[in-house]
Amino acid sequence: RQGEKEKAIYALNQSTELSPGVVSLRWAAGMLASKLGDKEALLDNLKAVIAYDPDRRQKAFIVLWQSLRSGDSIFEIIPDQAIPEYLRFLLDTKRIKDAYKVWVNNQDLIDYNHYMHLMNSLIAQNEIDLAVKAWDDRMGKRKELIWNSRFEESINNNGFDWTINENPGIKITRVKNENDGGHIVKIEFDGKENYDFYHFRQSVPVEENTKYRFSSDLKTENITTLNGLFWEAYCIHKEGMYERSEETFGTTDWHRVEFSFEVPPGCDSVAIRLRRTPSKITDKLFSGTAWIDNTSLVKED
């Protein structure tokens, strides 16, 4: 308080040298170092706090970023056991590119849940190139534009796989296909509401100024009302592109549904979504069952 900065730094260094293992002292020393602008002392003291005091880690991350404004020097002091928590902190504070660097250098320390948090954040923040690299690193490079297009793998419900939003009256399950032994997706509507259905979708990386054609096999049973099911595509982070298929309702055998769209400039990811809009007649409750299989997205000449 009296402006004796050099004496304060000397006292700080002496105290931490005499008691290097006292975490509460290292925390207090870190706070003082932050006020004094002593970067070396700040990093040294909060490194010990992050390593040995999980309860103070989040506060330590905040202080470090407020003081240093840079992730490179902070990353160097994060111990292995704190890497997942630090990754989550970066994602929650929307430091997306710094989070990606943490992932690249510590893939073996990042569990599935933290990895998928990273994937969803990269897609949501429109870092599609980084998202594709992170997906390829862990999940493998896609053989087709649609991931898990025939539902032969369990649905991750994250990243570039299919995602399912829960709704109490709508049941979406992956089931055996009795015809060929493979798998299909079954969607059941209980008829208790006039459903606005948008609960099954996939985010797909695409190339701008490119034409694509989407197709899917679809089967329905007792789909009520004239507002049926259809597939749609739209740019996730850019307005102006929207296309959809024809609607299917009633009872139908397996049939192919398809439509084409052109990706506009500045769009590098689209949502492919199964949809049903609510009827304007509010008492028209929606019920029935639908099955989907063999989804495909290909470039058109």
Side-chain angles (χ1 to χ4, degrees):
R1 286 194 296 268
Q2 295 179 15
E4 299 283 358
K5 183 176 178 180
E6 292 184 2
K7 291 181 179 179
I9 292 175
Y10 176 78
L12 168 65
N13 292 335
Q14 286 292 97
S15 64
T16 53
E17 286 178 12
L18 290 170
S19 305
V22 180
V23 176
S24 59
L25 177 59
R26 302 300 291 271
W27 172 253
M31 297 305 96
L32 180 56
S34 176
K35 292 180 181 179
L36 295 173
D38 189 332
K39 176 182 176 180
E40 183 177 348
L42 173 65
L43 290 169
D44 181 60
N45 284 292
L46 291 195
K47 176 181 180 179
V49 172
I50 293 169
Y52 301 112
D53 191 349
D55 293 336
R56 285 195 174 105
R57 275 179 189 157
Q58 288 293 318
K59 292 180 181 178
F61 297 153
I62 293 171
V63 170
L64 285 167
W65 272 94
Q66 288 177 340
S67 301
L68 303 179
R69 309 286 181 181
S70 171
D72 292 340
S73 56
I74 298 172
F75 173 71
E76 293 177 0
I77 70 165
I78 306 298
D80 287 354
Q81 69 269 27
I83 286 293
E85 195 170 347
Y86 184 55
L87 175 66
R88 186 170 64 248
F89 165 80
L90 293 173
L91 293 173
D92 290 345
T93 55
K94 293 184 169 48
R95 295 177 169 93
I96 303 301
K97 291 186 177 180
D98 289 286
Y100 178 76
K101 290 181 183 178
V102 171
W103 154 255
V104 167
N105 292 285
N106 298 275
Q107 295 186 29
D108 57 332
L109 301 176
I110 307 299
D111 63 20
Y112 172 85
N113 290 332
H114 285 91
Y115 165 71
M116 284 302 178
H117 187 186
L118 169 68
M119 281 301 311
N120 294 335
S121 298
L122 288 170
I123 294 171
Q125 295 298 315
N126 201 24
E127 295 289 350
I128 303 303
D129 289 342
L130 296 183
V132 169
K133 291 178 182 177
W135 188 262
D136 291 349
D137 284 345
R138 184 149 186 171
M139 306 301 291
K141 291 187 177 181
R142 66 187 64 240
K143 298 178 181 179
E144 303 175 80
L145 294 176
I146 296 289
W147 185 266
N148 199 9
S149 61
R150 296 171 182 83
F151 313 113
E152 294 310 305
E153 304 293 334
S154 297
I155 294 174
N156 281 304
N157 203 28
N158 282 289
F160 288 126
D161 201 349
W162 298 101
T163 58
I164 300 171
N165 298 115
E166 298 292 334
N167 187 296
I170 303 171
K171 184 179 180 182
I172 304 175
T173 52
R174 174 176 168 266
V175 299
K176 279 279 189 180
N177 185 343
E178 296 178 356
N179 294 329
D180 60 14
H183 287 84
I184 55 179
V185 167
K186 181 181 181 180
I187 306 172
E188 301 169 270
F189 302 90
D190 66 5
K192 294 182 179 180
E193 293 184 28
N194 181 14
Y195 289 111
D196 183 5
F197 177 66
Y198 49 85
H199 301 76
F200 189 76
R201 58 165 270 176
Q202 184 172 135
S203 300
V204 185
V206 292
E207 299 174 16
E208 61 181 5
N209 301 314
T210 303
K211 292 182 178 180
Y212 291 88
R213 188 166 190 80
F214 175 80
S215 60
S216 167
D217 290 344
L218 181 63
K219 175 184 175 182
T220 59
E221 183 177 282
N222 297 326
I223 294 292
T224 59
T225 80
L226 294 179
N227 288 45
L229 292 166
F230 60 92
W231 286 99
E232 64 181 8
Y234 58 91
C235 287
I236 297 177
H237 299 286
K238 182 179 177 62
E239 297 181 355
M241 194 283 283
Y242 177 84
E243 295 292 344
R244 53 172 284 180
S245 71
E246 69 273 17
E247 294 186 28
T248 299
F249 37 81
T251 298
T252 66
D253 201 350
W254 285 107
H255 62 286
R256 199 72 174 160
V257 175
E258 54 188 2
F259 65 98
S260 298
F261 60 89
E262 183 172 357
V263 178
C267 174
D268 55 5
S269 61
V270 299
I272 302 293
R273 184 166 67 173
L274 190 63
R275 189 82 166 88
R276 187 261 177 181
T277 57
S279 172
K280 294 181 180 179
I281 305 174
T282 57
D283 62 348
K284 289 292 185 181
L285 304 181
F286 186 67
S287 63
T289 305
W291 296 264
I292 56 177
D293 196 10
N294 297 323
T295 59
S296 173
L297 183 67
V298 296
K299 292 182 182 180
E300 286 191 322
D301 296 332

